[in-house]
């Protein structure tokens, strides 16, 4: 148990130090908790969720989802009063975030817990409020589930059958099968129990359906009943194991509430020391890695500058630049420019420049005068300045900054 407490302290310290005011770290704890839940590591998942609730973050919607996950685990452990309180906390955070849909779902979850505790009137008030807040079709379906559950928990089985007509919803079918069983309508109870067993892997549903079939399937022979009882025993064993893990996780919630959010202080201190060492090593590693990357980038940039300088020198030495660049053949010109200047033409095209823009950029980069540029483009020298400005605007700079911008593109 001690190592678990220490782990809890370490996670909480990590959350407080790196998560305060930093919702990315809170989200990381949240996602980790969800992943652990999927792996059926309930206690470790609860450590993550509780650590996230101790971090200060402005993301109320995220906190609402975290509290909803905690409440879901309390519900699965049959701790309905505690689940209700935690769903209420989730509802408050969703209200602060302005997320009316999530707020409606939280109200519906609160209603379900009230129904499970036998408080039908309170449950119906909550589902009515949920519908009023956000009449969203999937939420309405969930509301029907809560209404049906409230009727089942208060033994109003005819009302359960009224609300559970949707045979695509496994939960509704579970309630329907149970209602038929309680009404002693054996054929219908067995029918829905068989249907559910054929299409679900949920342990709790399977357990309920095996129970119904054992008591309501009049057509089953003795061997089938024995086999079914054996399967149910296996399911119950798996449920007991899961319930045990869930109760350990829920105990963390109870301990956390008793300690007002400051549990296991000694383990926090130990966790803080270890975390400080880890952060120091991590910071050194990151700085060292950044230094190596900067050095590598500097060397790469230096090599590209030298390559570009050689290309410019070769062009300045030729007598007829039109012929050297294959000026009349745009594709061939781009190929030669790419070879001389580290893919410059292709990079300019990636910036969204058209053929004329690319030609202007190349001539400006080479360093030709306005008169020479005009001769290459077969236009008047007076129009070159305007063309340069238009091209520069497409690159997000002024005409005077065009050459330096092209140089930066060339060495990228």
């Amino acid at each position: 148990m001690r190592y678990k407490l220490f782990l809890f302290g370490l996670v909480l310290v990590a959350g407080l130090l790196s998560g305060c005011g930093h919702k990315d770290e809170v989200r990381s704890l949240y996602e980790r908790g969800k992943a652990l839940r999927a792996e059926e590591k309930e206690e470790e998942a609860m450590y993550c969720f509780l650590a996230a609730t101790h971090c200060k973050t402005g993301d109320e919607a995220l906190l609402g989802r975290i509290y909803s996950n905690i409440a879901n685990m309390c519900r699965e452990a049959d701790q309905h009063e505690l689940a209700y309180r935690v769903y209420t906390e989730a509802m408050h955070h969703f209200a602060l975030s302005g997320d009316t849909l999530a707020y409606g779902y939280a109200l519906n979850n609160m209603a379900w817990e009230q129904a499970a505790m036998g408080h039908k009137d309170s449950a119906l008030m909550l589902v009515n409020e949920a519908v009023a807040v956000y009449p969203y079709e999937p939420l309405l379906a969930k509301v029907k589930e809560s209404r049906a559950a409230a009727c089942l928990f208060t033994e109003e089985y005819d009302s359960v059958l009224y609300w559970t007509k949707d045979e695509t919803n496994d939960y509704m079918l579970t309630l329907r099968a149970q209602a038929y069983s309680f009404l002693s309508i054996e054929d219908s109870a067995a029918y829905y129990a068989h249907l559910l067993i054929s299409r679900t892997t949920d342990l709790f549903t399977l357990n309920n359906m095996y129970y119904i079939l054992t008591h309501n399937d009049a057509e089953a022979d003795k061997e089938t009943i024995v086999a079914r009882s054996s399967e149910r025993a296996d399911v119950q064993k798996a449920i007991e194991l899961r319930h045990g893990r869930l109760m350990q996780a829920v105990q963390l919630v109870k301990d956390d509430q008793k300690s007002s959010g400051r549990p296991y202080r000694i383990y926090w201190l130990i966790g803080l020391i270890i975390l400080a060492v880890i952060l120091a090593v991590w910071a050194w590693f990151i700085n060292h890695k950044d230094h190596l990357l900067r050095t590598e980038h500097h060397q790469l940039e230096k090599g590209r500058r030298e390559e570009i300088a050689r290309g410019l020198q070769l062009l300045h030495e030729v007598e007829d630049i039109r012929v050297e660049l294959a000026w009349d053949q745009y594709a061939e010109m781009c190929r030669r420019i790419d070879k001389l200047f580290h893919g410059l033409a292709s990079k300019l095209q990636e910036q969204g420049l058209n053929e004329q823009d690319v030609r202007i950029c190349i001539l400006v980069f080479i360093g030709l005068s306005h008169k020479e540029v005009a001769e290459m483009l077969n236009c008047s020298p007076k129009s070159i300045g305007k063309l340069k400005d238009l091209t520069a605007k497409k690159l997000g700079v002024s005409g005077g900054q065009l050459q330096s911008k092209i140089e930066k593109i060339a060495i990228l």
Side-chain angles (χ1 to χ4, degrees), residues 22-39:
H22 205 306
K23 64 182 180 182
D24 287 343
E25 297 300 331
V26 180
R27 183 173 294 278
S28 178
L29 284 169
Y30 167 62
E31 296 296 342
R32 177 61 179 157
K34 288 204 303 180
L36 287 167
R37 275 196 73 192
E39 297 171 11

Side-chain angles (χ1 to χ4, degrees), residues 156-224:
E156 299 175 26
Y157 304 126
D158 289 331
S159 297
V160 174
L161 298 178
Y162 172 79
W163 289 109
T164 57
K165 295 176 182 177
D166 181 7
E167 297 196 2
T168 63
N169 184 317
D170 285 356
Y171 182 69
M172 289 292 210
L173 288 187
T174 301
L175 298 179
R176 195 170 184 81
Q178 290 175 317
Y180 276 125
S181 179
F182 287 125
L183 289 169
S184 297
I185 305 176
E186 297 180 354
D187 290 346
S188 297
Y191 168 77
Y192 286 110
H194 279 297
L195 182 61
L196 277 165
I197 287 175
S198 69
R199 72 187 206 187
T200 186
T201 58
D202 180 70
L203 292 175
F204 294 97
T205 302
L206 289 173
N207 185 48
N208 287 329
M209 296 307 104
Y210 282 135
Y211 177 85
I212 289 173
L213 287 177
T214 302
H215 293 81
N216 295 275
D217 192 355
E219 296 181 2
D221 55 35
K222 185 176 180 180
E223 291 182 1
T224 301

